[in-house]
Amino acid sequence: MPQPEPIHAHALENLRFIRDAMSRASEFTAVPGWGGVLMGITALAAAPIAGPPDDTVRWVTIWFADAVVAVAIALVAIGIKSKRAGTPLSTAPALRFALAFVPPLVAGIILTPVFVTMGLMARLPGCWLLLYGTAVATGGAFSVRVVPLMGLCFMALGTVAFAAPAAWGHWLMALGFGGLHIVFGFIIARSYGG
């Protein structure tokens, strides 16, 4: 007669299944609220320094410098928030967030020199806001509810930037990368922690 399976083996298998299911279903909650506020402040500082898009390398360089600072702030803030929550960044929700977030950013990086060489530098604010919004909205599908909403706001502002006079570009960048990051950063910090 076959031996019955020990109950502890069956229980361990069930616990493993439950843990894996919960990991797949959970949200990426390390989106930084206070980090978003700091990112917004750097964009508000960059906008008047850059001024309206003027078809110069100086203008693009100022915004790229701000982007580098913003990425550094975001990575540090994500790391701090993740560590406080005791959630490693190698979890399935974090990886899904990154896989959805990165491709639209890469598209923006690829399109930037295309816009510059074709004399469309004045339309870069629309391109950057739209693609960053797409990154936030798609990545945010694996995060808390307010993150995709923030992405949709960036996308709407990017659409406005394509239709608005080119001279408004730096102010629309300030409104998006500055204002939206600050507003949503406060919401995320208050509702979802740091």
Side-chain angles (χ1 to χ4, degrees), residues 116-184:
V116 169
T117 57
M118 295 187 76
L120 299 171
M121 193 179 300
R123 294 300 164 198
L124 277 173
C127 175
W128 289 341
L129 289 163
L130 183 63
L131 288 172
Y132 181 74
T134 304
V136 173
T138 57
F142 303 102
S143 188
V144 294
R145 188 176 331 172
V146 72
V147 177
L149 178 60
M150 178 174 74
L152 293 175
C153 290
F154 269 98
M155 292 174 73
L157 191 58
T159 303
V160 168
F162 276 121
W168 296 4
H170 63 306
W171 298 124
L172 292 168
M173 295 275 285
L175 182 60
F177 293 111
L180 289 177
H181 271 140
I182 290 171
V183 168
F184 281 96

Side-chain angles (χ1 to χ4, degrees), residues 43-101:
L44 291 179
I49 294 169
D54 59 5
D55 292 332
T56 65
V57 172
R58 180 195 71 81
W59 186 85
V60 173
T61 303
I62 291 168
W63 284 109
F64 269 147
D66 181 60
V68 168
V69 170
V71 166
I73 290 169
L75 291 175
V76 168
I78 288 170
I80 290 170
K81 188 171 180 181
S82 173
K83 189 173 183 178
R84 269 194 213 138
T87 309
L89 292 175
S90 60
T91 62
L95 295 174
R96 285 192 302 266
F97 179 91
L99 287 173
F101 185 81

Side-chain angles (χ1 to χ4, degrees), residues 2-3 10 43 78-79 106 111 115 120 144 147:
Q3 290 279 26
H10 187 63
I78 288 170
V106 171
L111 286 174
F115 275 55
L120 299 171
V144 294
V147 177

